[in-house]
């Protein structure tokens, strides 16, 4: 009798006239793998964020001239961690492993990445926690994939889902974080990885939920921009023009990074010497311009509400670009996405100072979108992430600026592992 009932039930749900052996829904056991990856990623991100906040508060007590020895010592300690525990690599290595190493991110690099990035980010380096989080959560996805005995594209997808959970925890945008984890791998062939989009979305949602529970995160904009009011189709033209300005400074940033990379690689000094020298220079910049210290998560609001003069904003723009470039090239560990948003905010404020009739919010968001899309080649996810972080609900102007940054970007990507030549090799 029970067997007959089961057969009738299956026939009822069998809408496509295909044999159903177990589950009539799309929902399957793989959902639990993605969910577990997201939950673990959210716990890791929440724990990392709490430690980072406490460590940052402790080091923030050193003000004035004390910021110079503080950042120098932290740079030295980060370098020693990398020297003795191992080099965790940067975003280039993460992209390389996903594309060319069958999607495997090695967890053995996590202790070095966590410790070195805590010293770098908490002391005031101009790099954010996104790269460390992505490395750790992505390698967690790889580790769980091996436990579940996954191979090939399934393992790669779970690693990407882990990466997405890290992006989402920081940006608070599950869809944007998921797309970013795909776009960052290759700007022209992101579709190759779209098999991972559903795993990434599921992991991102569960990661966001867990991260919100741990740090009591609310839903809403992170940065306090004034409300934007659409005035007509010319706003799309303005967004594109602001995007051109943002892209121009994206090029400047890339060339400044290449210059300092040449400087720091001129002699083969140990990594801890480079991070020490970088810490001293960054300390001097932070001493003279305190708002350039840290990666910009809170400092962007200070910029927006500060009512700074044009000359000061220009100095902030110049020294923030220098600070990011030195942080990247001297061996400090972290991500440059939010620091680039800081640069875009400064650019937007400069434009508004020069042309007061221009909508301040449109200028800021457009410059933020263009410079990040220019450097990272991620126009879709940049649009969604900025819409979430700024509360800018009109996605189309942001998309115009993002695409401007994307199509006017240098032919050779800033993240070298995105290059076509590597893919061909």
């Amino acid at each position: 009798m029970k067997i007959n009932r089961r057969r009738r039930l299956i026939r009822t749900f069998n809408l496509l006239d295909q044999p159903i052996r177990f589950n009539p829904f799309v929902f399957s056991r793989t959902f639990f793998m993605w969910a577990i990856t997201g939950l673990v990623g959210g716990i890791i991100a929440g724990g990392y964020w709490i430690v980072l906040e406490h460590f940052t508060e402790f080091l923030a007590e050193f003000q004035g001239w004390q910021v110079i020895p503080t950042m120098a010592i932290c740079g030295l300690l980060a370098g020693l961690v990398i020297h003795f525990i191992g080099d965790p690599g940067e975003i280039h290595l993460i992209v390389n492993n996903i594309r060319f190493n069958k999607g495997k991110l090695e967890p053995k690099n996590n202790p070095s990445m966590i410790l070195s990035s805590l010293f770098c980010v908490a002391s005031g380096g101009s790099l954010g926690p996104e790269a460390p989080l992505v490395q750790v959560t992505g390698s967690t996805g790889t580790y769980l994939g091996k436990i579940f005995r996954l191979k090939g594209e399934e393992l790669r997808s779970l690693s990407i889902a882990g990466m997405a959970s890290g992006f989402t925890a920081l940006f608070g945008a599950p869809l944007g974080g998921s797309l970013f984890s795909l776009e960052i791998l290759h700007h022209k062939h992101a579709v190759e990885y779209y098999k991972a989009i559903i795993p990434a979305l599921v992991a991102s949602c569960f990661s966001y939920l867990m991260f919100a529970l741990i740090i009591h995160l609310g839903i809403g904009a992170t940065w306090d921009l004034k409300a934007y009011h659409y005035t007509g189709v010319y706003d799309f033209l303005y967004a594109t023009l602001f995007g051109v300005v943002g892209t121009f400074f994206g090029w400047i940033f890339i060339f400044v990074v290449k210059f300092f990379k040449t400087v720091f690689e001129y002699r083969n000094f140990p990594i801890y010497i480079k991070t020490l020298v970088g810490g001293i220079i960054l300390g001097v910049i932070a001493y003279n311009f305190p708002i350039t210290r840290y990666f910009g998560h809170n400092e962007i609001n200070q910029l927006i509400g500060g009512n700074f003069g044009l000359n000061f904003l220009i100095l902030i723009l110049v020294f923030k670009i220098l600070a990011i470039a030195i942080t990247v090239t001297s061996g400090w560990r972290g991500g440059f996405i939010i620091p680039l948003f800081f640069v875009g905010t400064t650019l937007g404020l400069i434009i508004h100072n020069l042309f007061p009739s221009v909508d301040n919010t449109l200028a800021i968001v457009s410059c933020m979108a263009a410079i990040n899309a220019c450097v990272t080649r991620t126009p879709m996810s940049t649009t969604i992430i900025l819409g979430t972080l700024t509360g800018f609900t009109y996605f189309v102007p942001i998309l115009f600026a993002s695409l401007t940054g994307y199509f006017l970007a240098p032919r050779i990507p800033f993240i070298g592992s995105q290059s076509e030549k590597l893919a061909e090799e």
Side-chain angles (χ1 to χ4, degrees):
M1 190 67 180
K2 290 183 178 179
I3 294 176
N4 290 332
R5 286 181 181 175
R6 184 179 180 185
R7 286 176 178 171
R8 284 197 298 270
L9 182 63
I10 289 176
R11 291 195 194 99
T12 301
F13 283 103
N14 186 10
L15 303 179
L16 298 179
D17 295 326
Q18 297 293 329
I20 298 176
R21 295 180 180 178
F22 175 65
N23 185 4
F25 306 107
V26 174
F27 176 87
S28 65
R29 69 179 186 88
T30 54
F31 172 87
F32 293 102
M33 292 190 294
W34 308 334
I36 291 170
T37 301
L39 289 173
V40 174
I43 292 171
I44 292 172
Y48 181 92
W49 188 264
I50 289 172
V51 174
L52 178 63
E53 280 192 326
H54 283 86
F55 196 25
T56 302
E57 289 175 4
F58 170 73
L59 294 177
E61 295 179 4
F62 299 97
Q63 298 289 336
W65 65 268
Q66 294 178 329
V67 72
I68 300 175
T70 299
M71 296 189 73
I73 292 170
C74 286
L76 175 61
L77 292 174
L80 290 172
V81 167
I82 295 171
H83 180 75
F84 287 108
I85 300 181
D87 189 349
E90 300 175 359
I91 191 67
H92 306 271
L93 180 61
I94 297 173
V95 174
N96 262 334
N97 286 337
I98 291 293
R99 294 185 66 200
F100 309 118
N101 191 30
K102 300 179 181 178
K104 298 177 182 177
L105 299 175
E106 296 298 333
K108 66 180 182 181
N109 297 325
N110 289 348
S112 177
M113 176 61 88
I114 292 171
L115 288 174
S116 60
S117 65
L118 282 173
F119 283 117
C120 295
V121 178
S123 63
S126 287
L127 289 178
E130 57 268 28
L133 280 179
V134 169
Q135 163 66 34
V136 176
T137 56
S139 62
T140 301
T142 301
Y143 177 74
L144 291 173
K146 291 179 179 179
I147 291 177
F148 296 135
R149 298 182 180 179
L150 301 181
K151 294 180 181 179
E153 286 302 316
E154 288 186 337
L155 179 60
R156 190 197 305 270
S157 294
L158 204 62
S159 298
I160 294 173
M163 290 173 57
S165 70
F167 278 124
T168 296
L170 180 65
F171 297 129
L175 180 56
S178 300
L179 285 175
F180 199 95
S181 66
L182 300 180
E183 279 192 294
I184 196 72
L185 298 177
H186 198 284
H187 60 289
K188 287 187 178 180
H189 300 292
V191 70
E192 294 178 9
Y193 307 99
Y194 263 67
K195 184 178 180 180
I197 187 63
I198 297 300
L201 282 171
V202 173
S204 292
C205 289
F206 279 91
S207 172
Y208 181 78
L209 176 65
M210 187 56 63
F211 188 73
L213 286 172
I214 292 173
I215 69 166
H216 307 293
L217 181 69
I219 295 179
T222 301
W223 298 316
D224 302 326
L225 291 170
K226 295 179 181 178
Y228 163 72
H229 299 287
Y230 175 71
T231 58
V233 293
Y234 285 110
D235 280 11
F236 303 131
L237 174 62
Y238 293 143
T240 303
L241 292 175
F242 300 149
V244 171
V245 176
T247 305
F248 174 72
F249 279 89
W251 278 72
I252 291 176
F253 169 75
I254 291 171
F255 280 111
V256 171
V257 168
K258 289 184 176 181
F259 170 76
F260 279 104
K261 185 176 182 180
T262 303
V263 170
F264 279 104
E265 291 180 353
Y266 181 72
R267 291 288 180 89
N268 191 24
F269 289 111
I271 184 67
Y272 50 84
I273 299 298
K274 295 179 182 179
T275 54
L276 171 62
V277 173
I280 294 172
I281 300 173
L282 292 171
V284 172
I285 294 175
Y287 170 68
N288 289 281
F289 302 97
I291 200 170
T292 63
R293 192 181 179 190
Y294 303 111
F295 62 98
H297 189 264
N298 298 315
E299 289 69 30
I300 287 177
N301 276 333
Q302 294 179 27
L303 265 181
I304 294 170
N307 195 27
F308 298 111
L310 179 62
N311 292 335
F312 183 77
L313 288 171
I314 293 173
L315 288 174
I316 292 300
L317 176 66
V318 171
F319 282 99
K320 187 61 177 182
I321 291 176
L322 290 174
I324 301 171
I326 292 167
T327 312
V328 169
T329 56
S330 63
W332 284 47
R333 292 295 182 262
F336 46 78
I337 297 168
I338 294 182
L340 287 177
F341 287 159
F342 181 97
V343 174
T345 303
T346 311
L347 267 177
L349 291 171
I350 290 173
I351 292 173
H352 182 67
N353 268 266
L354 291 172
F355 307 99
S357 61
V358 166
D359 187 283
N360 192 21
T361 299
L362 181 62
I364 289 173
V365 175
S366 299
C367 289
M368 292 169 90
I371 191 170
N372 188 68
C374 173
V375 175
T376 64
R377 310 292 181 95
T378 57
M380 291 186 294
S381 52
T382 294
T383 300
I384 297 171
I385 288 170
L386 276 177
T388 302
L389 292 175
T390 62
F392 196 100
T393 55
Y394 298 86
F395 283 102
V396 180
I398 310 179
L399 185 58
F400 269 68
S402 294
L403 289 174
T404 301
Y406 173 76
F407 285 111
L408 296 183
R411 183 175 292 274
I412 300 175
F414 176 73
I415 301 175
S417 45
Q418 293 179 332
S419 175
E420 287 279 359
K421 293 182 179 178
L422 285 174
E424 293 171 0
E425 293 174 1

